[in-house]
Amino acid sequence: MLQALAAAFAEDVTMPDGPRGFADGRSAVLAALGRDTLAATSRLRWAPARAAVSGDGSHGFTMGFMEIQRADGSRVPLRYLAYWIRGAEGWQMRVFRRAPRGEGAVDTAYAGSLQGPATGGIVPAPALEERRAELAATERAFSDSSQTIGLGEAFALFGHPQAWHLNGPAGPDLVRGREAVVRSVSTGVPPGTSPFVWGADRTLVAPSGDFGVNLGVILRAEARGLPGFPFFTVWMRGRDGRWLYIAE
């Protein structure tokens, strides 16, 4: 199982690792995955249900379903989200996350891909740095908005119409579409409130300046001194200059 993932990982891949924070680097990520003592004797298969790429075709994400097949014949169903960068060695995962999913039927048909709207090719370095800062600021604005208008309302405001979400461990499928994402994250949260605050600690942006990913930590709004949980969110920049999340 680990060999299959190692072949797809970039050397500087990173993975959210629960309350431990991020596992940074291929060795650390494989060690985190290897805490599953059955990993060495298990097989892994996966297939994307959705993908998107930057306007210049160098950054992208895939999102879909995984399944661990144990040597004893048992199976562990999972969902995954991967952020990829294409370099000299081809496409490699730069950020990776998997999550448990419940048993049940899922739509495994490939839903197609999206592409960023960039038309001007590569953005000059100073402008690209501005885009990176802009995207990091958007993540903070997303969190701030959730504290003033509510968590679901903020997810509606900052979400792409075709945004997808990994969902929680209870459901078998991915959450597909902004309206479904809003319903999912709002479950159990009183309207107009948000129990969470977050921000971007690291930001990657495609050379075309229209596609990127934020990595950070989610904290409890009323207990910011306690350990948080790492996250990453994939964003796309529209022709109107607005960044909207497309996958989380």
Side-chain angles (χ1 to χ4, degrees):
M1 181 185 88
L2 296 181
Q3 292 86 346
L5 285 171
F9 287 158
E11 185 62 37
D12 54 356
V13 66
T14 188
M15 181 184 76
D17 193 22
R20 298 177 180 87
F22 283 96
D24 289 319
R26 183 187 290 150
S27 296
V29 171
L30 292 175
L33 294 170
R35 287 198 299 268
D36 175 355
T37 57
L38 298 179
T41 59
S42 300
R43 293 185 177 183
L44 180 70
R45 64 178 184 180
W46 70 88
R50 189 66 181 282
V53 295
S54 60
D56 69 329
S58 68
H59 284 217
F61 84 84
T62 56
M63 192 174 194
F65 302 102
M66 285 185 161
E67 185 177 78
I68 297 174
Q69 301 174 344
R70 303 292 196 198
D72 63 4
S74 62
R75 300 174 185 271
V76 181
L78 301 166
R79 295 178 289 259
Y80 79 92
L81 173 61
Y83 192 88
W84 301 74
I85 295 180
R86 187 178 65 176
E89 298 182 7
W91 286 101
Q92 293 184 311
M93 288 189 204
R94 183 67 182 274
V95 195
F96 171 71
R97 177 189 168 199
R98 65 179 189 174
R101 65 179 177 90
E103 296 285 353
V106 296
D107 184 359
T108 58
Y110 181 61
S113 61
L114 297 171
Q115 185 160 3
T119 58
I122 305 302
V123 175
L128 188 61
E129 186 57 39
E130 290 179 4
R131 296 282 177 91
R132 187 177 292 110
E134 182 181 271
L135 179 53
T138 299
E139 192 76 60
R140 174 56 63 189
F142 186 13
S143 173
D144 290 347
S145 292
S146 77
Q147 295 298 307
T148 57
I149 64 176
L151 186 64
E153 293 81 356
F155 268 80
L157 180 64
F158 286 84
H160 191 283
Q162 299 185 55
W164 284 26
H165 200 278
L166 281 185
N167 199 8
D173 205 351
L174 296 159
V175 182
R176 307 173 187 233
R178 180 175 56 201
E179 288 74 20
V181 172
V182 170
R183 290 194 299 270
S184 177
V185 301
S186 299
T187 301
V189 179
T193 69
S194 172
F196 306 114
V197 294
W198 65 91
D201 298 320
R202 287 179 274 180
T203 301
L204 303 174
V205 175
S208 50
D210 62 347
F211 200 92
V213 59
N214 280 325
L215 299 87
V217 176
I218 298 171
L219 301 172
R220 285 276 176 181
E222 300 302 324
R224 301 191 191 197
L226 296 179
F229 286 82
F231 76 94
F232 70 93
T233 308
V234 183
W235 296 78
M236 186 177 289
R237 190 178 191 271
R239 294 183 185 277
D240 60 358
R242 288 188 65 207
W243 286 98
L244 297 174
Y245 73 80
I246 189 68
E248 185 179 15

